[in-house]
Amino acid sequence: MKQLYKSYDESSDIFKEFQTKYPKYFKIESIGETWEKRDINLITISKDIKSADKKPALFFTGTIHAREWVGHELGIEFATYILEHLDTDPTLQTYLENSTIYMVPCANPDGYEYSRTHFSFWRKNRRQNVDGTYGVDLNRNFPIGFVSSTAPISNVYGGPEPFSEPETRALRDFVEAHNNITIALDYHSQGNVFFPAHDFRHEDTIDTTDMNTLCANMAEEIRKISGREYGIHQGKPPAKLISGSGREFYYSKGIISSVVEVGTRNISDYMDDMNENLREHIPALLAALSETPNYCKDNSVKRVNSFEVKDIGSNHVKLFWDYEKNNDTFFEIYRSLSDKSFCNTANLIAQTQSLEFNDINLQSNTDYFYNIRVVDKKTNRKSPFYPQIKVRTILEYNEFSRTYYASAQTTGYVSENINNNSTHFGVNSLFVGVDDNKGISYSIVTINVKSLPIDALIESATFLLYPINRVSTTIEKYGEWNVGIVNQETMGDITNFDDVDNMEIVNYVGRPTESHQLTQGIWRTWTLSAMECDFLKKYILDDTITLRIEGPKELKIGRNKQVMQWDIGYGRFGFGLSYRPRLELTYTLKPTVTKLYPKEVSTVSKDGVKNGEISAGFDENGAKIYSTFEFNLSSLPPYNDTFITKAYFELNSKKIYIKDDIRFHLEFVDESIDKNYESITNREVIQNIGFDISANELKNNQTQYFVFDTFAEKILNEKLEKKSDISFVLKPTSSRKSIKDKNISWEMENKSLYPKLILEHIPKRRFAVEQVLDAKLASENNKIKLTWANPENLDFVGVKVIKNAFRKPLSPQDGQKLYAGTDTYTFDDFGAKDINKYYAIFTYDDVPNYSEPIILEYKTK
């Protein structure tokens, strides 16, 4: 395995050969010397090497940690690929016409060679420390967040001071001398995850979306090659943050930066794993290269000045933005169904020069993520992205929504070889899989669903877990992770391994998550089918649902771990309460069926109006005969608490013998229509109800139903508000030019066959409760504190507080959730006090309907 990896001298020879063979495109130079006097190789690739430093550049660094060989190997393969394809690939030619590649394939030559020849898992460089130990962790030796340490023996010892090492000084000096670098990628192993740069604050920055999207676009290229899904995780408090990293140093210089963790081991099996890792990362690197011009400091195509939500419906989202109009530019709008998603042609939904866009035909109660950038038509240069918008479409008439979080004390994990499994509940992460020490591990998630009505009909359900650490939990290419519904009547002690192992799983839900789909920093979802939703409802016991998460149960020879770690939201390993396991449900209620009989029916013809009878057709002169029906809605429950979810009109004909082509249309008309022939003939139709029926159909089926469409149901609900009368007209038509003395009578004698309007309706609030009162910002214990007064309304359920540094959040999803509950205050625990931002406070009821937000603007002093 190791013989296939190239030594540092071998790579140096390869690069020197490239320089001889491709002098116009390629250059190798030394940017410094290591402690052991090895040159630190810097290679440059461009369409014209003489002008390379004048073009926007991608900066690649690898193997700054000695045992992480992938960076060095990928640098060699990437350079080889480019030089072998540059003359024949027009896309690659375009990229390198406009961009430059700088690479330090191995930023730690001494440590790398020590790892190759002496100690495979050596991590640091080869400095001799004052206590006689060796090595500094070069990726802790940069100044941003540098942490002083008195333990040189530590694997993460950052050195006596920032830039104490010749390797990091060489990187510093090169970067500071090259302002053309726009994107920096630092290659590590292991984990199959991107770690975009952060600034040690619990706030999104103006370029967070840029970094997430860059990583997502690269991840999509990887997925297309191997099917492997890469996570994206920008470290923020309260998670432990890497200190003194090169990534943050590059970012501090205005460079879009990310660490890329590749593979499942530090030193992978070359033919089985490494080969594939190299192959999948070359198109990912090309995707990053294509973006370098868009992030250069002198890019004249600026991001939009604002990007906001104007309106949200159950099936539409209206967006608008601000930008100085220019005939040479247009806007690209991207829509995704998940956070941190790619932006490419697959999800590009609009190219427009307008300053607004209405996205229609969406699904109700669904999260959508929108991104925007500006494009110059002449140069095809693109702007950076404006910070992403997240919205959730509102519920349909018949829908309710619930988000249920895991109950802390009954959520945890049990392991085969551990005796104190009860201590893993409520205060730790969830571990699932198998390893040498723990043995097999299961996780148990218990969710209280007390607020779910007994008669709820679950329409959709999704269970979500947040992957918290894929780097230290080694995941190889085998096995799958499943979620099962537990029969609580027979489940035993959830903190006892044997009881959990022997649990009766009544049904597994969603699709299994395979090892190559495990990511970090992106929610993993198990979406239930309709049958699985029925099982979920059936196995609620004492208002709770219990789920068991299970993974692989055997290890391959030579492997010691196949475990995934998920966030529980609590304890020192948790990222906060927002990251608890959760179950999202959309449900409806079994409707009440109300039959309304007409308060008045009539037949209207040229001969006059006959009340109390109904017939329709053509008179002896061929003139139309109409039937009219009038109903009153006053018997229905109050409008503010009722939704009509379905409506249909039932008509029953008397026995007929007509063979002619006569068809009948039912029309929803204004209730104020006069009952005379002229008014009926010139009626204004609100909507046709259902489809027309023929006389022949009536011969075969005496009972006919005219079903309301969505628009007609909407109008019917509006009529309910005023409890007004509603009217219908039955109109005859014929394909024959002339038809006379043909009409059909409809049942009025038999009560069961009487014309009727059948309505299905459910109890549901239409409008949100009042907004909070007296909302204020204050400072307390060096934190930003929000206070408010809750409305005095029996239907008030709680408030939700959202933070957004870039716009006033119209949607209760558009930003960072700080709080949800019934308290009258909350703290922005990790909010930076030197950043302007908006806070939005929404009230909600049990639907939930959200109020218009109360906006508080925080401005730095």
Side-chain angles (χ1 to χ4, degrees):
M1 174 180 76
K2 294 182 181 181
Q3 296 304 316
L4 297 176
Y5 286 90
K6 298 169 185 67
S7 70
Y8 192 71
D9 285 343
E10 285 175 318
S11 71
S12 298
D13 291 341
I14 290 171
F15 295 143
K16 289 171 184 175
E17 289 178 16
F18 284 163
Q19 182 170 249
T20 301
K21 189 175 181 179
Y22 305 100
K24 184 179 177 181
Y25 304 147
F26 188 93
K27 180 175 70 173
I28 179 173
E29 60 188 303
S30 173
I31 57 171
E33 281 190 344
T34 66
W35 287 104
E36 295 178 351
K37 303 304 179 184
R38 290 183 176 89
D39 284 327
I40 301 169
N41 290 332
L42 182 284
I43 65 175
T44 303
I45 307 175
S46 190
K47 191 74 183 300
D48 179 7
I49 208 71
K50 293 179 181 178
S51 61
D53 293 346
K54 298 178 181 178
K55 301 173 185 177
L58 170 68
F59 185 46
F60 173 112
T61 53
T63 313
I64 198 168
H65 287 145
R67 65 193 181 194
E68 300 175 14
W69 296 4
V70 64
H72 181 238
E73 204 68 30
L74 179 58
I76 300 167
E77 292 298 314
F78 188 43
T80 303
Y81 177 89
I82 290 173
L83 294 172
E84 289 180 350
H85 291 81
L86 185 54
D87 286 336
T88 57
D89 186 339
T91 301
L92 189 53
Q93 290 173 7
T94 300
Y95 290 168
L96 287 172
E97 193 76 54
N98 300 313
S99 304
T100 292
I101 300 169
Y102 298 127
M103 287 201 289
V104 180
C106 183
N108 185 1
D110 295 348
Y112 175 61
E113 283 303 308
Y114 189 73
S115 172
R116 286 186 67 253
T117 60
H118 180 67
F119 176 26
S120 295
F121 292 99
W122 184 257
R123 172 183 169 97
K124 301 185 285 183
N125 73 350
R126 294 297 295 164
R127 162 200 271 269
Q128 185 171 354
N129 297 314
V130 293
D131 64 350
T133 62
Y134 279 87
V136 166
D137 181 348
L138 297 177
N139 204 42
R140 302 296 186 276
N141 189 238
F142 292 85
I144 310 301
F146 177 82
V147 174
S148 181
S149 170
T150 58
I153 196 171
S154 168
N155 250 351
V156 293
Y157 172 58
E161 61 187 14
F163 294 128
S164 62
E165 307 309 295
E167 297 91 345
T168 54
R169 288 197 299 272
L171 293 172
R172 174 198 65 191
D173 294 346
F174 179 80
V175 168
E176 290 183 341
H178 290 78
N179 289 328
N180 58 325
I181 297 173
T182 65
I183 296 174
L185 299 173
D186 188 21
Y187 276 81
H188 292 246
S189 60
Q190 63 208 28
N192 294 339
V193 60
F194 291 90
F195 288 124
H198 56 76
D199 63 357
F200 291 89
R201 294 188 288 188
H202 198 48
E203 304 276 4
D204 282 343
T205 56
I206 191 70
D207 49 18
T208 293
T209 295
D210 293 307
M211 289 188 286
N212 284 341
T213 303
L214 172 69
C215 296
N217 286 345
M218 295 177 69
E220 178 62 7
E221 295 300 319
I222 293 168
R223 189 197 62 79
K224 287 193 294 188
I225 295 295
S226 64
R228 185 174 291 108
E229 296 185 25
Y230 264 60
I232 302 170
H233 188 76
Q234 185 183 41
K236 294 177 182 177
K240 183 179 179 182
L241 302 179
I242 294 174
S243 302
S245 165
R247 171 188 59 184
E248 271 65 60
F249 172 69
Y250 306 141
Y251 182 57
S252 73
K253 299 297 179 181
I255 298 169
I256 298 297
S257 176
S258 180
V259 159
V260 189
E261 297 276 2
V262 181
T264 58
R265 285 181 289 164
N266 290 134
I267 306 170
S268 296
D269 183 316
Y270 199 103
M271 295 182 69
D272 186 32
D273 296 310
M274 181 55 65
N275 241 343
E276 185 176 71
N277 293 147
L278 299 179
R279 189 168 65 92
E280 67 190 4
H281 271 276
I282 287 174
L285 278 163
L286 292 175
L289 180 64
S290 71
E291 287 288 343
T292 54
N294 302 324
Y295 291 101
C296 66
K297 297 175 179 62
D298 61 353
N299 185 2
S300 61
V301 188
K302 305 301 181 184
R303 59 167 57 92
V304 297
N305 301 316
S306 67
F307 185 37
E308 301 186 53
V309 179
K310 181 174 286 187
D311 186 48
I312 305 170
S314 60
N315 59 12
H316 80 274
V317 173
K318 193 166 188 178
L319 308 167
F320 72 102
W321 53 93
D322 177 52
Y323 198 75
E324 184 177 343
K325 280 210 168 185
N326 184 334
N327 289 332
D328 292 333
T329 59
F330 63 90
F331 308 98
E332 291 182 340
I333 310 295
Y334 299 86
R335 180 188 69 208
S336 304
L337 290 172
S338 60
D339 195 11
K340 305 174 190 173
S341 185
F342 55 83
C343 291
N344 62 27
T345 53
N347 66 332
L348 176 64
I349 59 170
Q351 292 175 305
T352 178
Q353 287 192 303
S354 173
L355 295 178
E356 63 179 31
F357 175 69
N358 192 24
D359 192 16
I360 60 175
N361 299 325
L362 303 177
Q363 298 294 316
S364 63
N365 197 36
T366 300
D367 290 334
Y368 290 99
F369 301 81
Y370 291 95
N371 287 303
I372 188 172
R373 72 191 316 185
V374 188
V375 184
D376 186 294
K377 291 191 291 186
K378 293 181 178 179
T379 65
N380 204 36
R381 183 72 63 90
K382 300 184 179 184
S383 75
F385 288 91
Y386 197 82
Q388 176 179 264
I389 286 177
K390 176 186 175 182
V391 300
R392 178 173 292 181
T393 48
I394 65 174
L395 296 156
E396 285 288 7
Y397 282 178
N398 64 332
E399 290 178 339
F400 296 79
S401 178
R402 290 287 184 276
T403 298
Y404 295 109
Y405 291 96
S407 302
Q409 298 307 314
T410 48
T411 294
Y413 76 94
V414 296
S415 295
E416 182 179 18
N417 299 333
I418 294 178
N419 295 322
N420 59 341
N421 280 313
S422 61
T423 64
H424 299 157
F425 282 74
V427 292
N428 211 330
S429 309
L430 302 177
F431 291 91
V432 182
V434 58
D435 69 19
D436 281 344
N437 295 322
K438 291 186 175 76
I440 297 170
S441 293
Y442 297 100
S443 284
I444 296 296
V445 176
T446 305
I447 298 172
N448 186 291
V449 293
K450 185 176 182 180
S451 65
L452 185 68
I454 294 175
D455 59 344
L457 305 173
I458 300 175
E459 294 185 326
S460 64
T462 303
F463 177 66
L464 299 97
L465 289 173
Y466 191 75
I468 193 174
N469 192 337
R470 200 190 190 283
V471 175
S472 64
T473 55
T474 306
I475 304 294
E476 301 289 347
K477 292 193 302 181
Y478 69 91
E480 62 183 32
W481 281 253
N482 284 283
V483 176
I485 302 171
V486 177
N487 184 348
Q488 297 179 79
E489 292 182 343
T490 62
M491 72 180 181
D493 181 359
I494 62 173
T495 68
N496 178 279
F497 177 82
D498 289 335
D499 284 357
V500 172
D501 187 41
N502 292 311
M503 279 178 170
E504 179 188 354
I505 303 299
V506 295
N507 207 81
Y508 288 97
V509 301
R511 296 177 65 94
T513 292
E514 298 180 42
S515 59
H516 65 269
Q517 296 174 300
L518 284 173
T519 61
Q520 180 173 339
I522 298 176
W523 286 93
R524 194 71 207 165
T525 62
W526 285 262
T527 301
L528 282 66
S529 68
M531 182 179 295
E532 291 163 356
C533 288
D534 290 341
F535 272 105
L536 191 73
K537 179 73 187 304
K538 180 180 178 181
Y539 284 93
I540 296 172
L541 181 66
D542 296 330
D543 295 325
T544 64
I545 293 167
T546 298
L547 303 173
R548 186 182 78 181
I549 301 98
E550 61 187 71
K553 296 180 174 64
E554 295 181 355
L555 289 169
K556 291 184 177 181
I557 298 297
R559 308 292 191 263
N560 62 7
K561 187 184 296 185
Q562 184 76 343
V563 175
M564 190 60 198
Q565 183 180 1
W566 318 86
D567 200 350
I568 195 175
Y570 299 92
R572 62 192 181 96
F573 297 109
F575 278 34
L577 295 180
S578 297
Y579 295 94
R580 289 170 288 173
R582 69 178 191 264
L583 178 67
E584 294 189 347
L585 302 179
T586 301
Y587 68 91
T588 188
L589 300 174
K590 186 176 181 180
T592 299
V593 179
T594 297
K595 295 180 180 179
L596 297 180
Y597 293 90
K599 71 173 192 176
E600 185 178 303
V601 298
S602 58
T603 298
V604 182
S605 66
K606 279 194 170 182
D607 291 338
V609 177
K610 295 181 180 178
N611 293 320
E613 64 175 69
I614 45 176
S615 63
F618 298 88
D619 66 15
E620 62 273 12
N621 298 313
K624 290 180 179 178
I625 302 171
Y626 300 93
S627 298
T628 68
F629 311 84
E630 189 172 317
F631 296 83
N632 185 270
L633 301 176
S634 59
S635 61
L636 292 175
Y639 170 78
N640 284 354
D641 300 304
T642 304
F643 271 93
I644 298 172
T645 58
K646 191 172 183 180
Y648 43 100
F649 194 103
E650 180 185 327
L651 268 180
N652 290 274
S653 63
K654 293 184 178 180
K655 290 183 178 180
I656 60 169
Y657 304 97
I658 295 176
K659 297 181 180 180
D660 300 271
D661 180 20
I662 301 176
R663 307 192 73 83
F664 298 94
H665 305 255
L666 185 67
E667 299 171 341
F668 192 176
V669 299
D670 188 78
E671 72 273 10
S672 61
I673 190 171
D674 292 331
K675 302 297 188 295
N676 61 67
Y677 196 76
E678 182 179 357
S679 296
I680 293 294
T681 303
N682 296 309
R683 69 203 173 279
E684 183 175 334
V685 179
I686 296 173
Q687 179 71 316
N688 288 315
I689 304 300
F691 297 98
D692 52 282
I693 57 172
S694 68
N696 283 331
E697 288 175 301
L698 293 173
K699 287 181 181 179
N700 300 325
N701 189 356
Q702 180 185 13
T703 302
Q704 293 294 325
Y705 293 101
F706 298 84
V707 181
F708 284 56
D709 64 11
T710 303
F711 177 75
E713 288 176 354
K714 180 176 181 292
I715 300 300
L716 193 60
N717 273 280
E718 291 175 0
K719 298 289 186 182
L720 176 62
E721 181 176 13
K722 300 177 182 178
K723 292 294 180 78
S724 58
D725 291 344
I726 57 173
S727 297
F728 300 87
V729 169
L730 190 66
K731 175 190 76 172
T733 63
S734 176
S735 61
R736 292 174 56 183
K737 186 175 182 180
S738 177
I739 187 167
K740 299 179 180 180
D741 200 20
K742 301 287 185 181
N743 70 80
I744 291 177
S745 296
W746 308 87
E747 282 287 359
M748 287 290 293
E749 297 173 359
N750 185 336
K751 185 70 173 177
S752 66
L753 301 178
Y754 207 75
K756 59 185 75 70
L757 178 61
I758 303 172
L759 304 177
E760 296 181 5
H761 52 93
I762 60 173
K764 177 184 172 183
R765 280 184 58 91
R766 286 182 178 271
F767 306 108
V769 299
E770 302 84 353
Q771 298 169 300
V772 299
L773 300 172
D774 199 27
K776 295 176 182 177
L777 291 175
S779 179
E780 186 175 308
N781 297 326
N782 206 33
K783 296 179 181 179
I784 300 171
K785 183 179 183 180
L786 293 83
T787 59
W788 60 86
N790 291 330
E792 295 182 3
N793 189 311
L794 293 177
D795 291 325
F796 167 79
V797 171
V799 300
K800 188 172 184 179
V801 181
I802 297 292
K803 176 176 70 172
N804 194 312
F806 310 105
R807 56 184 158 262
K808 298 175 182 178
L810 175 64
S811 164
Q813 276 72 38
D814 190 24
Q816 180 187 351
K817 175 185 168 184
L818 296 183
Y819 175 77
T822 58
D823 288 342
T824 57
Y825 72 94
T826 192
F827 289 93
D828 186 1
D829 287 331
F830 299 98
K833 299 187 75 173
D834 59 343
I835 293 178
N836 295 335
K837 65 203 77 176
Y838 297 100
Y839 297 95
I841 307 174
F842 302 82
T843 60
Y844 58 91
D845 57 19
D846 69 346
V847 173
N849 295 305
Y850 287 93
S851 70
E852 291 294 316
I854 294 293
I855 302 293
L856 297 174
E857 184 176 4
Y858 173 83
K859 289 188 175 182
T860 59
K861 295 181 180 179

